Amino acid sequence: MGYSFSKKTCHFGIGTEIKMPCQNQQLNNNDRQEHAAMSSTKQVRFASCGNSVLTESNRDAEVAETCENVFNSELQRQIGSQLKLLPLNDQIRELQTIIRDKSTSRGDFVFCADRLIRLVVEEGLNQLPYSECTVTTPTGHKYDGVKFEKGNCGVSIMRSGEAMEQGLRDCCRSIRIGKILIQSDEDTQKAKVYYAKFPPDISRRKVLLMYPILSTGNTVIEAVRVLTEHGLQPKHIILLSLFSTPHGAKSIIQEFPEITILTTEVHPVAPTHFGQRYFGTD
């Protein structure tokens, strides 16, 4: 929104004049410098690649972001529509950065992790089926809206998956949550199921499977196998994750092509320290 000062009237560039006192409107040198700095910052932040005011660091950042977008688009093309990425913005990028930073305190780590979890859970709920409904407002009017179809539940893969349970409960207070404990065998490195508890009618439900870090994908593959053994179809599973490697996402989709994976980032290096930092066991 551009603006200019005149002797008696201030014009705000939207076809409207606002009468206001304009005595002593000459900006001093400090005001000019501050105003110029603010304008320059806005120009750089929102400039396009062809704008001459871009600094070298901004160009590098835009090139890196463009490369990442191309990488993610190509990965989604290879895997298919079953891999869904949250739209990247500065808020998500900052949360990812804080979680990956080794100097982040545990308090900040948990706070930012919970925020990112909430964003993933909210988007995961968007993948669940809705039905149309009509309600009556307090003023007596009819309102056409939507509501969740019944039969949804969560399943967390212990232990790191339990970090996502509260985010799900904050959105769905009465949702039922099952648990699976899977650990890798020290000798064979194969994932082994030690504990599993689900709602008795799990085979008829839509399941939000929670596991924040997808590294090799082996743990999730074993968890999905357990769910299918209980009669659940893979197409009714939505995997909620914060970070994934390309290998992890590909492995899961190759094994179960109908499963949906929702994550914020696909990167060759996953923050595998997540569970230890979140629960304070590092």
Side-chain angles (χ1 to χ4, degrees):
M1 180 187 297
Y3 58 87
S4 60
F5 290 104
S6 65
K7 186 175 182 181
K8 294 295 183 181
T9 306
C10 295
H11 302 272
F12 279 79
I14 54 176
T16 304
E17 291 187 355
I18 301 178
K19 300 293 183 181
M20 58 186 293
C22 292
Q23 291 89 351
N24 301 323
Q25 291 291 349
Q26 293 297 325
L27 298 174
N28 59 36
N29 289 335
N30 291 336
D31 291 334
R32 287 196 189 94
Q33 292 174 0
E34 181 179 357
H35 179 71
M38 293 175 62
S39 299
S40 175
T41 300
K42 289 183 179 179
Q43 284 179 328
V44 171
R45 175 63 186 84
F46 296 105
S48 64
C49 291
N51 197 317
S52 61
V53 300
L54 281 173
T55 65
E56 183 176 352
S57 61
N58 285 106
R59 289 194 184 96
D60 292 342
E62 288 203 357
V63 169
E65 183 174 348
T66 300
C67 291
E68 182 175 356
N69 290 336
V70 171
F71 171 79
N72 288 334
S73 298
E74 177 63 19
L75 185 65
Q76 285 185 294
R77 186 190 66 80
Q78 294 177 7
I79 296 179
S81 60
Q82 299 308 103
L83 174 64
K84 301 181 184 298
L85 290 171
L86 262 67
L88 185 63
N89 54 42
D90 289 343
Q91 175 184 207
I92 291 178
R93 175 61 85 192
E94 182 188 33
L95 295 175
Q96 293 170 340
T97 302
I98 294 173
I99 290 172
R100 286 182 176 274
D101 188 351
K102 69 177 183 179
S103 65
T104 299
S105 66
R106 180 173 177 266
D108 288 343
F109 184 95
V110 173
F111 178 78
C112 292
D114 286 341
R115 286 185 59 198
L116 194 58
I117 288 168
R118 180 64 178 263
L119 294 173
V120 171
V121 168
E122 294 280 10
E123 183 57 34
L125 295 176
N126 282 333
Q127 309 299 319
L128 295 175
Y130 289 87
S131 61
E132 296 182 353
C133 67
T134 300
V135 298
T136 303
T137 69
T139 57
H141 293 84
K142 299 294 184 182
Y143 178 81
D144 295 329
V146 297
K147 64 179 179 180
F148 278 122
E149 292 186 359
K150 293 182 179 181
N152 304 314
C153 75
V155 172
S156 65
I157 302 177
M158 302 164 64
R159 178 180 187 193
S160 59
E162 293 177 304
M164 307 179 72
E165 289 183 7
Q166 188 59 49
L168 180 57
R169 287 196 175 99
D170 288 342
C171 299
C172 305
R173 290 181 296 176
S174 60
I175 194 167
R176 302 187 67 177
I177 297 179
K179 294 178 183 289
I180 306 178
L181 174 60
I182 299 175
Q183 294 181 346
S184 297
D185 187 275
E186 294 182 356
D187 297 326
T188 63
Q189 296 302 313
K190 293 184 63 177
K192 183 178 180 181
V193 179
Y194 286 86
Y195 174 83
K197 185 175 182 180
F198 310 124
D201 58 347
I202 187 75
S203 62
R204 300 196 300 270
R205 292 177 179 265
K206 303 290 190 301
V207 172
L208 296 173
L209 183 61
M210 297 173 285
Y211 196 60
I213 309 299
L214 302 182
S215 183
T216 64
N218 292 339
T219 300
V220 171
I221 290 173
E222 192 62 34
V224 175
R225 283 178 181 155
V226 174
L227 289 169
T228 57
E229 289 172 0
H230 283 73
L232 183 66
Q233 298 181 46
K235 67 179 181 180
H236 293 157
I237 299 174
I238 300 171
L239 174 61
L240 305 184
S241 175
L242 303 185
F243 301 91
S244 174
T245 64
H247 173 74
K250 288 180 180 178
S251 298
I252 295 170
I253 294 298
Q254 287 174 357
E255 189 73 22
F256 300 102
E258 293 182 315
I259 195 175
T260 298
I261 300 177
L262 178 63
T263 187
T264 72
E265 182 182 53
V266 179
H267 191 279
V269 180
T272 53
H273 63 284
F274 180 90
Q276 295 166 326
R277 290 297 307 278
Y278 190 93
F279 292 107
T281 58
D282 53 343

